[in-house]
Amino acid sequence: MSKMKNQDTRRSLAALQIYIEVLEAEMSICKVQDFSLADWKSDLCFTAKTDEENSLVCQTKAVPENATKRDDGWKIMRIRGVLDFSLIGILAGISSELADHEIGIFVISTYNTDYILVKSKDMEKALEVLDKRGYQITSN
């Protein structure tokens, strides 16, 4: 079997064991002055801080007034279940499938799992691609 077919077989087998849950929230990706106005009670609120910026990913309805830049129009899905740190290639498989179909993503990893944001206009196509490759798609 060729190397390419081996990779495709491994991807398909891995996909059969991966459940992707589509969440209903409309999301925004923002740069903020600081995190003082972030809605910490929201179910979905992700932050990152570096020496150059403060980033916030939150529901569009909760974008704070101190956002200096924002990109609206994202939908979100998560890999369902707690992922062990020893698991390799889960995001690579998903991102490769979507990249092959020219679908851009924004990824957030937490201690338990990974979240994948896709532009709203691309979500239906993304779900079709993943479903055809054997990923188990559910919604909340």
Side-chain angles (χ1 to χ4, degrees):
M1 191 182 292
S2 74
K3 186 176 182 179
M4 185 69 128
K5 283 192 175 193
N6 272 339
Q7 288 174 336
D8 283 346
T9 301
R10 274 191 306 231
R11 262 195 217 167
S12 295
L13 291 174
L16 292 174
Q17 301 169 11
I18 304 298
Y19 287 83
I20 297 174
E21 182 180 13
V22 181
L23 306 178
E24 292 298 317
E26 293 288 333
M27 302 297 292
S28 295
I29 302 167
C30 312
K31 285 177 75 172
V32 294
Q33 294 169 354
D34 58 52
F35 299 114
S36 63
L37 300 179
D39 182 1
W40 300 111
K41 293 181 182 178
S42 173
D43 288 339
L44 299 166
C45 182
F46 307 92
T47 61
K49 182 182 183 325
T50 70
D51 61 335
E52 296 180 347
E53 68 178 299
N54 297 317
S55 291
L56 174 69
V57 178
C58 63
Q59 292 186 53
T60 301
K61 65 184 181 185
V63 172
E65 290 180 22
N66 66 350
T68 58
K69 288 187 177 181
R70 64 187 281 175
D71 190 1
D72 299 332
W74 294 85
K75 295 295 286 179
I76 187 168
M77 53 185 137
R78 72 173 148 218
I79 299 174
R80 206 168 73 188
V82 176
L83 302 178
D84 188 273
F85 289 130
S86 66
L87 296 174
I88 298 169
I90 293 172
L91 276 177
I94 293 169
S95 64
S96 293
E97 294 297 338
L98 297 177
D100 288 348
H101 291 85
E102 299 182 357
I103 300 170
I105 62 173
F106 186 94
V107 176
I108 300 166
S109 294
T110 66
Y111 190 90
N112 284 345
T113 195
D114 297 311
Y115 293 81
I116 302 158
L117 284 83
V118 174
K119 279 296 207 174
S120 296
K121 66 179 180 60
D122 295 326
M123 183 58 109
E124 187 175 326
K125 182 179 176 183
L127 295 175
E128 287 174 16
V129 166
L130 294 173
D131 182 58
K132 284 180 183 174
R133 290 302 282 176
Y135 290 89
Q136 306 299 308
I137 310 296
T138 64
S139 58
N140 68 343

